[in-house]
Amino acid sequence: MAENTPDPTLAERQVADVIARADRKLAAAVSRALEESTEIAAAEMQAIGQEDAAPAMQYFAAIVHQRMYCLMCGADPDTFEGGDPETAYHVIRNSQNIARHYWSADVEPYPAK
């Protein structure tokens, strides 16, 4: 059943377009930074004879994820202090819902509050 929603105004479409372009640029910059960090670490590990110890890109992605989680929750990403548990709850629940809906993950989302 389709909702009865008004068509967006020109100004609303322009705002959405600006945000979408910024989103794409941010995503591309993060991807480039992850690739670059992985390449730098691999080269530096090779230089010290530890190429087998070079972290995979997923390691750096996990670091970015953890820092962004802290920022989203209002916590200091270096100390983890000051986070809002209510926001943390919603961020976790959203991630669980994505995993269940898009990837058929067998996770039980936190119960609704």
Side-chain angles (χ1 to χ4, degrees), residues 27-75:
V30 169
S31 292
R32 282 191 309 273
L34 289 170
E35 290 171 9
E36 183 179 318
S37 294
T38 304
E39 291 167 4
I40 289 169
E44 291 184 11
M45 290 293 193
Q46 185 176 20
I48 62 170
Q50 297 295 320
E51 45 276 332
D52 291 341
M57 184 184 296
Q58 289 81 354
Y59 167 81
F60 295 106
I63 297 299
V64 170
H65 179 264
Q66 181 172 293
R67 294 185 70 82
M68 293 305 100
Y69 178 76
C70 287
L71 291 173
M72 290 172 68
C73 297

Side-chain angles (χ1 to χ4, degrees), residues 88-90 92-94 96-97 100 107-113:
Y89 164 85
H90 290 291
I92 291 168
R93 186 167 169 80
N94 182 60
Q96 289 176 322
N97 286 328
R100 283 176 59 99
V107 295
E108 190 58 41
Y110 283 87
K113 286 188 170 188

